[in-house]
Amino acid sequence: MAQAALIHGDIDFYPEYTGTAMASVVKGDLSGSANKIYDDVKQFYEQKFQLTWLKPSNINNGYAMLVKPELAEKYKLAILTDLSAISKELIFGAEAGYSDRTDGLPALKRVYRIVFKEFKNSLVLISGIAHFLATTSI
């Protein structure tokens, strides 16, 4: 659901496990190296969804951040360090527990000095998207 919220413009960033994306979305081979899985997932998301994967974090290298390519290009975002100067302008979305996890928002603040303007948890996003889909002709 965070992916839909990003595409819809409700959030600017969200974290995703590369293995989860490979298994659930790409439906590809998980037997490769972490770098191979990341590269395959990144290429798939760019082609299918026009979303950009930043490099995995040093906090938890299974997570990578997704962002729309326009935002990545505008701010020249490639790695998490690039976010520290502009994060206060951005809305971050993730599962509810991410705001308190030691490898979640607290670590982004501590390691990268990233503090987002707003945090939206997935349950709120799901409700908003469900309302949007129920009230919009697509």
Side-chain angles (χ1 to χ4, degrees):
M1 281 301 159
Q3 179 178 317
L6 179 63
I7 291 168
H8 182 257
D10 292 326
I11 59 174
D12 297 306
F13 278 88
Y14 80 93
E16 183 63 87
Y17 283 114
T18 53
T20 300
M22 178 62 91
S24 300
V25 180
V26 178
K27 303 202 185 310
D29 182 13
L30 286 167
S31 65
S33 70
N35 287 339
K36 171 84 168 109
I37 291 170
Y38 167 79
D39 290 341
D40 290 350
V41 167
K42 180 177 177 16
Q43 181 179 7
F44 181 89
Y45 270 69
E46 286 172 351
Q47 291 174 352
K48 178 147 178 125
F49 304 115
Q50 293 74 52
L51 295 176
T52 299
W53 282 71
L54 300 183
K55 296 215 183 271
S57 77
N58 290 328
I59 300 166
N60 178 335
N61 69 2
Y63 266 129
M65 299 291 171
L66 279 92
V67 60
K68 286 186 175 181
E70 305 83 46
L71 195 68
E73 289 172 25
K74 178 179 178 181
Y75 294 110
K76 299 179 180 20
L77 302 175
I79 58 176
L80 286 173
T81 307
D82 300 336
L83 278 173
S84 61
I86 56 120
S87 62
K88 289 184 176 156
E89 302 172 29
L90 304 174
I91 299 170
F92 185 80
E95 71 268 12
Y98 196 81
S99 62
D100 299 319
R101 289 176 47 153
T102 58
D103 65 344
L105 285 181
L108 290 174
K109 182 178 182 180
R110 185 182 71 254
V111 175
Y112 298 102
R113 296 188 184 123
I114 294 172
V115 178
F116 290 99
K117 173 174 84 174
E118 184 179 350
F119 172 79
K120 292 187 177 182
N121 80 50
S122 297
L123 293 177
V124 172
L125 294 172
I126 291 168
S127 297
I129 291 168
H131 175 75
F132 171 77
L133 293 173
T135 59
T136 306
S137 298
I138 302 179

